[in-house]
Every structure is written in structure tokens, then in C-alpha cells.
Amino acid sequence: MVPRHRCGAPSPSGHWCRATAKHIRAWFRLRHGQEFHMGGISLFILGGTILSIAGKASPADSAALLQQAGIEPAGPVSVTRWRNVGSQNLLMADLIALAAEIGRQAASGTKGFIVIQGTDTMEETGFLLSLLVPADIPLVLTGAMRTADAPGADGPGNLNDSLCAVRALSGLALGPVICMNGELHAVRHVRKVDAGRIGAFASPGIGPLGTVVTGRVRLLQRPLPQPGPYPLPDPANLPRVALVTVGLDSDPLLIAAFASPDWQGLVVEGVGSGHVPQALAAPLIQFAKQSPVILVSRCGGGDTDADGTYQGEGTAAHLIANGLIDGGPLQGRKARLLLTILLARTTVPSAIRAALVPWAGLGLLTD
């Protein structure tokens, strides 16, 4: 008898429980009951709820995953347990290495890639990969909001949809997409907007790129091409970039805490269209004289008021006119990743500013 914890999770011996095997097998079946032939598809497992039983991460390795799934591939198959952590514990170094591996496999003929991970930082993982992986490489990220043993577990359906999507997206150069709850989302726009519901992902103001229903993939729109990809940075020498979200009566000490040589950059999420309390204006402008500071809105959608509809100390127009860099519609957590990658290439202020101009102006048709 396979030893199990009381909750039904596998024991530390590494065996799978019956429920896990059942769900893994279901992931690789089409809805009409046939095996999904994964020729040319590479699957990377990073961990997360999708591979958990009652909150315990599965200990299975790649060989066990294939065996329990009962896959009979029609072509080359690569299933790799890249990491086995909650997504809050993923490191940028993990994802830089993953981007390098995706590039190597794509150069060797792999046709598409799927990344399974926890949902908490999936939007950031996807965006970081979009900065490092060419857009013409089909790449789909997916996970689950419910554990594999939960009633109505969404993992099998999400992975099934991802398998369909990664093939259908070949040749479209959409860059990485997130596939959750029957929807495809561009990583630049998508956000996790709910901590627990199945429909936890949305692209506010934009909507999904497409849908996956009973194996049929429908494209609804195409994202604008974005700058990149950028050279892979040295993961051992990544610059430190802080993210600060401004709120009502934020204390200037919030900015002073990062005004040291230990921090090479700062992203500020201002209220509304990028404004900050007057008391924060001077320390931010001073910080921008020594290190790049990107200004975005904390709303998660919409633009900064770089044109100056609002005037006065602490407004977006005042801050940008005095050295802060306009982040346009970028979300703060993604602007932080972008600035990290840019600073890994150069610390020249004019070069950083020039590299961010096209990001702030994405889709802008008028000055």
C-alpha cells in the first residue's frame, strides 16, 4: 500500500496518490477521449496549485508524470520539472534560465512550449519571459485555482486548453500568453484580479486575446508588437529595483528607504494618473538624479498624465518634467521587471530613458 498523509497527499517517499494519477491522466486527454499527441511540445513544470493535493506540492519527477499520464507521444516529448515551488518563491534567475532553455530547444526544433506554475505571480513570469523570448516562439502559461483533489478542479481543463492553444498559436508571433478558464490573455495586459475564484485572470480595459472552447481556439484580437527581446542578463548580477505604491498621506520616508547605492532603480505607482502627495515630490526628484525612476498609475489600467491636465507639485506632469520617466500604461509590477532587464544592460541614464520611450508610447497615435 502506498503510504499517504491524512489529507490524501503523497508521502515523502515520492509515490503518487490515486487522485493525482487520475487528474494527471485527464490533463492529456482530448474531450473525445483520445490521447493528445504532444509531438514537438515541451512542458515545463514549476510547481503550484495545479500539482497540489490539499495544499501539498506533488513530488513526482518528469518520468513519473509521463508514466502516470499514460502518454503515447507521436513525436519528441520533453516534460521537465524545472522547479517545485510556490510561485511566490520563484526567482528571476529561475526564469532567465528557463528563457535560455526555451531558446535552446526552439533552435533545435521544438515547436511550442507550456509552462505550468502557481498563479500568484504568473502575470509577472509571463511578462518577464516576453522580454527574453522571441515573440514567434509559441509559449503558453497555465495553472489552477483549485487543487487537483478539489471538487471541480480546473487544472485538467486549463492544461487541456493550453495544449490546444500552443499548437493553434504557431506562426502568429503573439508572444507568451496566459491560458486560464477558457481564455487567452496577453501577458502585458493580464492581471490576477481575484485571490480565489476560477475566473481570477482578466485584462482590464483590453479583454482576452481569445478563447478555447471544447478544443477550438478562437483569436479575438492581436496585441501590439512590443520592444525586445532583450539579451539574457547575468542572473548573478541583477540590479535591485524597488516598487513603491503610493497611497493617501504616504510618508516621504517611504522613498528615503531606497535612497542608497544598494538600489539601482525605482518604480512608483502613483494615484490616479500617476500623482503623488506633495511631500513625496522632492525626494522622488532627488532620487531620479542618481537612479532611474519610472512613474506609472497604481490603477492597473490607463495612462499617466504626462500632458499636464493637472498641474502642481507632485502631479505626474511635474514629476516627469523634473526627471522621472513616463511609464505610460505599464503596470508597476511589470515595469519593475522591465527596468531590471534594462539596467542589466546599461546604467547610462539617457540609454534607459530612450529604451523606455517606445513602451510608454505603445499604440499612441497622437502626441
Side-chain angles (χ1 to χ4, degrees):
M1 179 179 294
V2 176
R4 296 184 179 88
H5 296 296
R6 183 177 299 175
C7 65
S11 74
S13 65
H15 293 292
W16 286 70
C17 72
R18 186 175 302 171
T20 304
K22 175 182 177 182
H23 285 291
I24 292 293
R25 280 194 294 271
W27 290 348
F28 292 93
R29 295 183 185 276
L30 291 174
R31 286 175 173 81
H32 55 269
Q34 296 179 354
E35 296 292 336
F36 192 102
H37 296 293
M38 290 181 60
I41 304 299
S42 188
L43 174 66
F44 292 97
I45 301 169
L46 277 60
T49 300
I50 192 170
L51 281 172
S52 297
I53 300 292
K56 300 292 184 179
S58 167
D61 59 17
S62 301
L65 177 61
L66 286 171
Q67 181 181 1
Q68 295 293 337
I71 299 173
E72 296 178 1
V77 177
S78 175
V79 179
T80 305
R81 181 171 291 282
W82 193 253
R83 297 292 183 270
N84 186 25
V85 297
S87 65
Q88 75 276 13
N89 290 318
L90 286 171
L91 305 177
M92 288 185 66
D94 297 328
L95 303 173
I96 292 168
L98 177 59
E101 179 62 21
I102 289 173
R104 283 192 291 268
Q105 291 194 21
S108 298
T110 303
K111 302 302 182 184
F113 300 86
I114 297 173
V115 174
I116 293 175
Q117 71 158 83
T119 59
D120 289 349
T121 62
M122 187 184 292
E123 64 197 82
E124 291 159 274
T125 294
F127 183 73
L128 180 58
L129 290 174
S130 80
L131 301 178
L132 303 175
V133 175
D136 60 354
I137 296 178
L139 173 56
V140 178
L141 295 91
T142 194
M145 294 301 296
R146 295 175 179 169
T147 57
D149 59 334
D154 55 324
N158 287 338
L159 184 52
N160 197 331
D161 289 347
S162 298
L163 292 168
C164 297
V166 75
R167 285 185 159 185
L169 298 180
S170 178
L172 297 182
L174 299 181
V177 301
I178 284 178
C179 179
M180 292 286 292
N181 197 36
E183 295 182 340
L184 302 174
H185 291 271
V187 293
R188 189 167 72 246
H189 303 301
V190 71
R191 301 188 72 180
K192 186 175 181 180
V193 295
D194 194 278
R197 291 188 300 112
I198 293 293
F201 285 81
S203 298
I206 303 293
L209 288 182
T211 58
V212 187
V213 180
T214 61
R216 299 179 67 189
V217 182
R218 186 179 297 276
L219 189 65
L220 304 177
Q221 58 177 315
R222 296 178 67 100
L224 292 170
Q226 67 182 38
Y230 300 100
L232 296 176
D234 179 0
N237 292 291
L238 292 174
R240 285 191 174 94
V241 177
L243 172 61
V244 172
T245 300
V246 172
L248 177 69
D249 197 24
S250 288
D251 196 299
L253 289 177
L254 186 66
I255 307 303
F258 301 103
S260 78
D262 292 332
W263 294 94
Q264 287 77 53
L266 179 66
V267 175
V268 177
E269 292 185 324
V271 299
S273 51
H275 313 304
V276 304
Q278 290 182 355
L280 268 63
L284 279 173
I285 292 170
Q286 182 61 38
F287 191 107
K289 292 179 180 178
Q290 64 187 42
S291 300
V293 181
I294 299 179
L295 180 67
V296 297
S297 169
R298 72 174 186 177
C299 296
D303 228 326
T304 54
D305 181 35
D307 294 334
T309 300
Y310 302 97
Q311 294 290 332
E313 188 177 11
T315 62
H318 171 252
L319 296 171
I320 292 170
N322 284 277
L324 273 69
I325 302 172
D326 180 17
L330 276 172
Q331 299 166 11
R333 66 200 72 172
K334 296 171 184 176
R336 170 182 164 266
L337 297 172
L338 174 59
L339 184 54
T340 301
I341 296 301
L342 294 177
L343 282 169
R345 299 174 61 206
T346 178
T347 57
V348 177
S350 59
I352 296 294
R353 188 176 295 274
L356 285 164
V357 167
W359 285 93
L362 274 175
L364 193 63
L365 301 180
T366 58
D367 294 331

